[in-house]
Amino acid sequence: MYDQSKVSELIRFARIEAGSTVIDVYPGDGDWTRLFSDIVGSEGRVYSFVPAEVAHFKNDPVGLMRTLAKEPGRENVEAASADLVAMPEVTPPADVLWLHLFYHDLHTALVQKKGATAADFNRAVYKRLKPGGSYVIVDHAAAAGSGTSDTRSLHRIDPASVREEVEAAGFVLDAESTVLLNRDDPHSIKVFDPAIKGETDRFAFRFVKP
């Protein structure tokens, strides 16, 4: 999805290193899980967490992660699945929780169908991270001031709303990266539109549990 320099910068930004325990939430095809597996090494662990709210998708996301965990050299990877708010029950205390292009979905009917809200999930993340642990969110930026109004229609979210919601759970904003900034993105079209797909303006926040 990104060139190597941006991938390296995002991993550095997330503070993932040898020996870390990482939870990769809604891992898709597992690209980030594989990268994290390589970095944390034999002393670390990567939990590839598929929310039960999306586990029914036709591509069998849980099965994909179980297959990934069986790949040679992936002994440090474990597939996990449960309702979003039950994530702390199937994962151990973690150093980093990684959420890539998924936070906006916390405001959609699909993800909320079992009653979980963004606030509920943020509290679950707070519970699961170790003191000093990092909650890293990368997502498609919506227009400033739009709040959560574009999460369903455009798959975007106002960065200011994300910060407000996550800080309400007790987190402290530790850093922001502009490595995925795109000032030419009009913020008014769906992220899947060919005119912007793959090149959306994206924000990256690192929150820390005090």
Side-chain angles (χ1 to χ4, degrees):
M1 182 175 293
Y2 309 122
D3 62 43
Q4 186 55 50
S5 64
K6 291 181 179 179
V7 169
S8 297
E9 170 58 22
L10 287 170
I11 290 172
R12 182 207 62 77
F13 178 76
R15 301 195 297 197
I16 296 170
E17 55 192 23
S20 294
T21 296
V22 182
I23 301 173
D24 183 8
V25 175
Y26 192 30
D29 291 334
D31 292 343
W32 290 106
T33 291
R34 289 185 177 91
L35 284 169
F36 299 155
S37 169
D38 291 340
I39 294 165
V40 304
S42 60
E43 299 301 315
R45 296 288 293 175
V46 181
Y47 290 83
S48 199
F49 177 76
V50 178
E53 288 84 349
V54 298
H56 65 283
F57 285 3
K58 290 182 179 180
N59 66 338
D60 186 16
V62 177
L64 285 173
M65 292 308 100
R66 288 175 176 163
T67 299
L68 186 158
K70 294 177 182 178
E71 293 175 359
R74 302 295 179 205
E75 292 80 9
N76 60 1
V77 174
E78 182 174 328
S81 185
D83 291 355
L84 268 173
V85 294
M87 183 263 299
E89 299 172 17
V90 297
T91 55
D95 299 294
V96 179
L97 187 134
W98 173 262
L99 199 64
H100 183 257
L101 307 184
F102 184 67
Y103 190 94
H104 68 274
D105 288 307
L106 297 174
H107 287 276
T108 63
L110 170 67
V111 172
Q112 292 182 353
K113 65 183 179 181
K114 294 189 176 185
T117 65
D120 294 330
F121 180 70
N122 289 331
R123 286 192 291 268
V125 176
Y126 191 91
K127 178 179 180 181
R128 182 37 62 227
L129 283 175
K130 301 175 183 177
S134 298
Y135 181 13
V136 181
I137 298 172
V138 178
D139 214 333
H140 306 284
S146 63
T148 61
S149 63
D150 293 328
T151 54
R152 294 172 175 81
S153 59
L154 303 182
H155 293 266
R156 297 173 178 268
I157 190 166
D158 183 352
S161 291
V162 175
R163 178 174 180 178
E164 180 180 357
E165 292 176 355
V166 176
E167 289 180 336
F171 287 97
V172 175
L173 181 63
D174 187 50
E176 181 176 359
S177 173
T178 59
V179 69
L180 302 178
L181 178 71
N182 179 5
R183 298 187 187 279
D184 295 326
D185 183 348
H187 300 110
S188 58
I189 56 178
K190 186 175 290 190
V191 301
F192 307 117
D193 189 305
I196 199 67
K197 185 177 181 180
E199 301 294 336
T200 53
D201 181 25
R202 303 176 188 187
F203 60 92
F205 287 148
R206 184 178 73 226
F207 297 92
V208 169
K209 176 179 177 177

